[in-house]
Amino acid sequence: MAQQADSIASNGIYRSCPLCGNDNTDIKPSLYSMDPWILKKCARCRLVYLENPPPYEDLHETYAWEKTSNQVAQEKKKKESALRRGVRVLERYKDRLIRRDKILTVVKKYFPVGPVIDIGCGGGAVMARLDHKYTPFGVEISKHLAEMAKKIAKSRGGRVFCGSAPVGLDTFEKDFFTAAIMSAYLEHESAPRDVLQKTLRIMRPGAHLVIKVPNYGCLNRIVMGQKWCGFRYPDHVNYWTPKTLIKIIRDTGFQIVQFNIWDRFPTSDNMWLIARKPD
Ligand SMILES: [Zn+2]
């Protein structure tokens, strides 16, 4: 089976479980798969993941986030009722308010002054909201979004690497960052262990990492099934639950500082975790 790890599927590249490394080739695809994208639930650690994610080269433009997220939004709009549309607008407004408060509250509490890296920084929306006492740096695979983020980072003494995170993180010095952000990123990364280990290397001892990801264990996913907003093909390649998220954070050498019931409340589609590089 090992040779299959390098084989290229008709769509995407085969991978074993990104959390525990188990080869799940013989396991039946999840009912949430959507042809040609194959979702598997790992027989060993129970992580749900895309077995054939697109290669990084395709994320520069073909499957770039700004394009696929627009397509998903258009398709959803076509299908939904007027009532549902109204509810969605209210939800989005509420989410924006909460998200805005949450990220800034976390930054204020855990981030000392200094260089901060936003991994999967998109167009730089989060870095633009950071206080000017922080120097923003970023990594972003979409060419179009990276160009937008570069302007923000450059004007404040930072920089943005355009490319995959495993390559981008190697361009920074060891123990350089006083804090790191992964907001709506870890669900997109086909090599999450590698990226977390590389992030640990470039963070100062004692520095904090804030993570926000969709919660596959949330009530909405259980009720909505295939229609859950967290399913994105092929954008989302890892479907984390509180248990699998804790495992990958600890396995890669971080300490968990905050992950209470309010950070992973089952009625929310997302969860938040604060980790720390040990001294
Ligand atoms: Zn596994």
Side-chain angles (χ1 to χ4, degrees), residues 203-246:
M203 287 167 65
R204 279 184 205 169
H208 289 95
L209 161 68
V210 52
I211 295 173
K212 181 198 171 198
V213 282
N215 180 2
Y216 184 78
C218 74
L219 284 174
N220 203 17
R221 197 275 301 169
I222 295 162
V223 172
M224 298 297 285
Q226 183 102 44
K227 289 182 181 166
W228 178 49
C229 56
F231 287 117
R232 298 278 176 92
Y233 310 90
D235 299 313
H236 290 182
V237 301
N238 311 304
Y239 291 88
W240 305 102
T241 60
K243 202 175 166 185
T244 53
L245 186 61
I246 288 171

Side-chain angles (χ1 to χ4, degrees), residues 17 19-22 42 44-46:
C17 173
L19 176 53
C20 76
N22 196 48
C42 177
R44 192 195 288 163
C45 74
R46 317 306 288 164

Side-chain angles (χ1 to χ4, degrees), residues 22-35:
N22 196 48
D23 177 0
N24 294 300
T25 313
D26 298 334
I27 303 290
K28 263 174 71 176
S30 153
L31 293 175
Y32 296 136
S33 299
M34 187 179 275
D35 189 42

Side-chain angles (χ1 to χ4, degrees), residues 57-95:
E57 306 86 82
D58 287 354
L59 302 177
H60 286 301
E61 288 179 294
T62 315
Y63 292 120
W65 171 245
E66 71 277 9
K67 288 186 188 170
T68 53
S69 58
N70 269 343
Q71 279 167 14
V72 169
Q74 298 295 336
E75 279 161 26
K76 276 192 177 163
K77 264 187 196 166
K78 271 187 227 160
K79 288 178 191 167
E80 72 188 357
S81 67
L83 176 65
R84 178 61 204 153
R85 202 173 304 142
V87 171
R88 186 171 54 78
V89 170
L90 284 175
E91 278 173 356
R92 198 194 304 151
Y93 186 65
K94 184 198 78 181
D95 281 356

